[in-house]
Amino acid sequence: MLRKLIHYDSKVQIRFLCGVYAVEALLAVLSGIFLGLKNQFPDVVIFVLMSGFARAICVLSVVVVFVGTIIYVVAYFRRNLLRDEGYLMHTLPVSPLQLYGSKLLTGTVFVYLSVFVGYLCFGIGNLRFRYSVLEEILKDTADRKTFLLMVITFLVVVPLLLCQFYSSLVLGYTWKMHSANPVNRDLLSVLAYIITYMVQQALAFVGLFGYFVIRFGNPLESGFLERVASLAGKGVSVQKEMVSYVQGILWVSLTLSVICGAVLFALSVYQLNRNLNLE
Amino acid sequence: MSLIKCEGLVKKYGNMTALSDFSIEIPEGRIIGILGPNGSGKTTFIKSLCGILRPEAGTIRIDGKEVGIESKKVVSYLPERPYFSSAVRVKDTLDFFEDFYGDFDRKTALHMLSTLQIDLKSKIGSLSKGTREKLQLVLVMSRKAKVYLLDEPMGGVDPAARDFILKTILTNYSEDASVLLSTHLISDVEKVLDDVVFIKRGRLALHKSVDEIRMEEKKSVDTLFREVFAC
């Protein structure tokens, strides 16, 4: 059944997103054409102006499509599970885990896809796909490891971000009312988002502080600054020490993202299972 | 064994009680009218049966199963509102039901849609409100379910469409299934009902067969309803 849900969710969302990606690609091609013309005829003012304008629009479209995809998949989740379409979805012989899981999986894939399409369009619009900064990073083993960790962190952060939005909506829409006058469910969802966000920030602070203490010892004890300085003076270069420190932070944020995502996922499925109230 | 068995259902919206210690048993092979004034708890009861509302207390068993995946396999639910996205086509809705419900009979649905002259290629958004309601009813009644829950299936449609809806219900439900029908249009549905359930302020006020009401009370269901719920 999960496979069928994924198929259905993908089909509905791709109909809209395909159109958006097509417009993005068209703008990228236009930008590429004008850039090519500008390179060919650098003295023609109209090509110089049009190239600058088209590139700006191309870059803007990449950002808009990325942010727009996140907004669209979150709006789709709300519409499909918590509004009128929920009357159909929640009466299907499937579990809330499958309903939520399918939305999370397809939403994540579409956000990744928007990044991939954005990369391609950016390349087409600028007539190049190789970036020297990236090549420099990939040459060095330590930098390559950090870059890889950053990519993995991004891949994990996307579903976590969606989990945050989805879970806030679920919490807002399953919030128990203690008054006969109904409160706007979307406002409750915003409140739930603020609360979950603050809890996550507090956890991130504790996690990073804990990492700092493990790495450099208790900052309240005497000789803390000397300990930090001595690490740099042990024959290891400061740059390598910094790289190792950044990698440590990435590992901490990666672990916290996985934990927070899992908790939000479990909480949402529990709420959909036990406290669903489509009014 | 009862097809539906509810015991001690309680559902509150804030400090307003929608269902209060509500218990009922419904056998198979009956068409039951769930009747009551606005806000009496009819929709809450139906939503609880299909699992889109969770009561605070009480138990529900449908065909011996608690409300969940297994019970949803045998329950066909028609809500009082349209639930398909306006962007999808009629054919997509048929594909959807065929994919998710093993008991969906595509041939029956296609036959009814052709009778209604609903084009499979039409987008839901282009259909009138009445046609959308008919489409949903066609889909719901094309399942070979054990329980049909129809919440206000005739609200907002013309008398000719009401006749179609009643005919569809009568011709498509099987002998071992039961149909629960909530409505205000009692005089329209009275002729097809086997039993009636009156709900008053979230409590079961009456559960009798239509024949019993006619024999014992010497009244029509409509008249009895007006007496019980007189303002």
Side-chain angles (χ1 to χ4, degrees), chain A residues 13-26 65:
Chain A
Q13 291 174 92
I14 199 81
R15 276 183 190 154
F16 174 79
L17 292 172
C18 259
V20 174
Y21 295 151
V23 173
E24 189 184 8
L26 184 73
V65 168

Side-chain angles (χ1 to χ4, degrees), chain A residues 114-132:
Chain A
S114 76
V115 173
F116 179 68
V117 172
Y119 173 77
L120 283 182
C121 289
F122 193 77
I124 293 167
N126 288 286
L127 294 178
R128 65 188 176 122
F129 291 94
R130 296 177 73 177
Y131 300 98
S132 53

Side-chain angles (χ1 to χ4, degrees), chain B residues 70-88:
Chain B
E70 289 307 311
S71 77
K72 286 173 184 177
K73 283 180 185 169
V74 297
V75 172
S76 193
Y77 168 60
L78 178 76
E80 56 186 330
R81 60 183 77 196
Y83 54 33
F84 281 116
S85 158
S86 53
V88 300

